[in-house]
């Protein structure tokens, strides 16, 4: 399975049918074993009592988190697409995915505790990170902002709950664990995706389906640790969704972008590295991608200062071979503005190297 091939999960225009789904939560309690028959009765009683108690405690934790966080998760309806969002503050700002809002400016929003449709308008979309902020025209009584956690503290194995409106089924919750952290994932453009390459994503086994995009990935402390955005696709299965492999934009990046948008109406500090070029993928003699042809360089950008020119073909970025625009984007996503990186390129058939100080998008 190629987990780098992912696409934005958007809702179909019409939900024709929904199958009833149920979720089961299992818990195991570890108890000391006994070596003689005289104590076996007591051990059995302890095991019988401990297992339901442990399961009950976990269930209570789940329900407590759902009661706390679900009121902060909303459904967002554009003219033809549907997604989710998370209430960001008391002023009615809602954070979601850029691919949920698309090119539209006005949206209908439904909260988890009401069927009333509220009107919201776009504040700013930032496709480079697949994030957007919209704002309610009128803030209803009792609107509850979510609490965003520190995604740098997220660990593999932590229990997660994904909340949103999969397939238009509002206020739905699925459960899983954090499967991995620090994933760099490229989003396709098909199906309305932005084509963004996003670093440090949280991988989760909690089901992410069309309509979950822009919702909340939550830990058992009730903290939003990510915004569910992508599901992996398996090219061997006709690019259908790979079960149990979903990705969420880390909460620390969400708050970094949203804080700027709320304050300034736009992103003023992306934190994303830039080489300072426009380019396109070129093919080799075997008709396979073989590098990145520089179309133009940005005045004063890192590439220009390092002597890279239009017509050069970049083949290596640091320790990473570069064959396509996607591979370059993924390599850049691992760096920060101000980092120095060795870039290998060819000019007139000769291989050259340049040390480039990266700029910022």
């Amino acid at each position: 399975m190629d987990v780098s091939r992912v696409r934005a999960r958007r809702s179909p225009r019409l939900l024709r049918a929904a199958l009833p789904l149920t979720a089961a939560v299992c818990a195991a309690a570890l108890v000391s074993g006994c070596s003689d028959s005289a104590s076996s009765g007591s051990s059995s009683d302890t095991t019988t009592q401990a297992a339901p108690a442990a399961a009950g405690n976990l269930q209570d934790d789940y329900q407590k988190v759902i009661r706390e966080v679900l009121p902060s998760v909303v459904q967002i309806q554009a003219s033809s697409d549907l997604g989710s969002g998370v209430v960001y503050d008391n002023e009615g700002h809602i954070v979601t995915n850029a691919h949920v809002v698309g090119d539209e400016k006005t949206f209908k929003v439904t909260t988890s505790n009401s069927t009333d449709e509220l009107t919201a308008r776009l504040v700013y979309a930032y496709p480079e990170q697949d994030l957007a902020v919209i704002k309610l025209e009128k803030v209803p009584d009792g609107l509850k902002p979510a609490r965003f956690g520190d995604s740098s503290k997220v660990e593999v194995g932590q229990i997660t709950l994904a909340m949103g409106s999969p397939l238009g089924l509002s206020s739905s919750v699925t459960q899983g664990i954090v499967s991995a952290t620090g994933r760099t994932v490229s989003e396709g453009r098909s199906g309305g995706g932005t084509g963004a390459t996003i670093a440090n994503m949280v991988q989760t086994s909690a089901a992410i389906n069309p309509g979950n995009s822009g919702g909340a990935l939550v830990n058992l402390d009730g903290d939003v640790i990510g915004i569910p955005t992508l599901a992996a696709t398996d090219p061997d299965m006709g690019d259908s969704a790979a079960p149990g492999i979903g990705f969420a934009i880390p909460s620390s990046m969400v708050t970094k972008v949203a804080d700027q948008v709320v304050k300034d109406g736009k992103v003023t500090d992306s934190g994303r590295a830039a080489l300072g070029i426009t380019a396109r993928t070129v093919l080799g003699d075997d008709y396979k991608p073989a590098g990145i042809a520089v179309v133009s360089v940005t005045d004063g950008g890192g590439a220009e200062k390092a002597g890279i020119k239009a017509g050069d073909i970049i083949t290596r970025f640091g320790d990473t071979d570069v064959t396509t625009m996607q591979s370059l984007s993924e390599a850049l996503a691992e760096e920060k503005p101000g980092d120095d990186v060795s870039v290998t390129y060819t000019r007139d058939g000769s291989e050259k190297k340049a040390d480039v100080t990266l700029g910022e998008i």
Side-chain angles (χ1 to χ4, degrees):
M1 179 186 303
D2 181 3
V3 298
S4 68
R5 296 188 61 189
V6 294
R7 57 189 173 90
R9 306 293 293 155
R10 306 186 77 178
S11 291
R13 301 190 178 198
L14 176 65
L15 177 62
R16 296 184 181 276
L19 296 177
L21 302 175
T22 57
V25 178
C26 301
L30 299 179
V31 296
S32 300
C34 299
S35 58
D36 56 48
S37 58
S39 61
S40 62
S42 175
S43 175
S44 176
D45 291 343
T46 301
T47 303
T48 301
Q49 294 170 3
N57 290 338
L58 183 58
Q59 178 173 281
D60 290 344
D61 289 342
Y62 275 44
Q63 292 177 331
K64 179 175 182 291
V65 171
I66 292 169
R67 286 194 298 268
E68 288 181 356
V69 183
L70 199 57
S72 304
V73 181
V74 302
Q75 179 174 291
I76 299 173
Q77 178 70 59
S79 59
S80 60
D81 293 298
L82 179 146
S84 305
V86 182
V87 178
Y88 195 69
D89 58 24
N90 289 314
E91 297 177 358
H93 288 101
I94 295 169
V95 65
T96 184
N97 285 132
H99 77 256
V100 169
V101 302
D103 296 326
E104 299 191 33
K105 306 297 182 183
T106 306
F107 313 91
K108 296 297 183 182
V109 173
T110 308
T111 62
S112 64
N113 55 8
S114 175
T115 58
D116 295 337
E117 287 190 342
L118 306 172
T119 300
R121 297 190 181 279
L122 178 68
V123 179
Y124 188 76
Y126 186 52
E128 292 85 350
Q129 196 67 39
D130 200 358
L131 289 171
V133 176
I134 64 175
K135 186 178 182 181
L136 295 173
E137 289 189 337
K138 181 179 180 181
V139 179
D141 293 337
L143 188 71
K144 182 181 178 182
R147 184 175 70 242
F148 285 78
D150 183 355
S151 54
S152 68
K153 297 180 180 179
V154 172
E155 297 181 357
V156 174
Q158 288 180 326
I159 293 174
T160 57
L161 300 177
M163 303 182 187
S165 300
L167 302 179
L169 302 172
S170 62
S171 302
S172 293
V173 182
T174 55
Q175 61 88 24
I177 64 168
V178 174
S179 307
T181 59
R183 296 293 198 202
T184 297
V185 182
S186 292
E187 176 182 312
R189 294 187 182 276
S190 61
T194 65
T197 296
I198 307 171
N200 296 318
M201 296 193 85
V202 178
Q203 181 181 326
T204 181
S205 63
I208 296 177
N209 291 295
N212 269 125
S213 287
L217 186 69
V218 186
N219 62 20
L220 287 190
D221 292 325
D223 296 328
V224 177
I225 59 173
I227 298 293
T229 300
L230 303 168
T233 59
D234 187 348
D236 293 332
M237 298 176 63
D239 278 346
S240 61
I245 305 179
F247 301 95
I249 299 172
S251 56
S252 296
M253 175 55 71
V254 174
T255 56
K256 177 182 176 70
V257 169
D259 284 347
Q260 294 176 59
V261 173
V262 170
K263 179 183 176 182
D264 302 317
K266 61 181 181 179
V267 174
T268 57
D269 176 16
S270 70
R272 292 171 61 91
L275 188 54
I277 63 171
T278 59
R280 60 180 178 83
T281 300
V282 294
L283 303 181
D285 294 336
D286 57 359
Y287 299 101
K288 294 181 179 180
I292 302 300
V294 178
V295 176
S296 65
V297 294
T298 303
D299 290 341
E304 184 193 48
K305 290 180 178 179
I308 296 175
K309 300 179 179 180
D312 293 342
I313 299 176
I314 296 173
T315 57
R316 194 168 180 82
F317 181 91
D319 296 328
T320 303
D321 290 332
V322 172
T323 56
T324 64
M325 287 297 297
Q326 179 174 316
S327 61
L328 178 60
S329 296
E330 290 172 355
L332 276 167
E334 299 292 335
E335 307 293 339
K336 297 179 180 179
D339 287 349
D340 293 323
V341 179
S342 175
V343 175
T344 303
Y345 61 96
T346 59
R347 178 184 295 168
D348 299 327
S350 299
E351 184 175 276
K352 299 178 179 294
K353 286 189 177 181
D355 291 327
V356 180
T357 300
L358 300 175
E360 186 174 15
I361 293 177

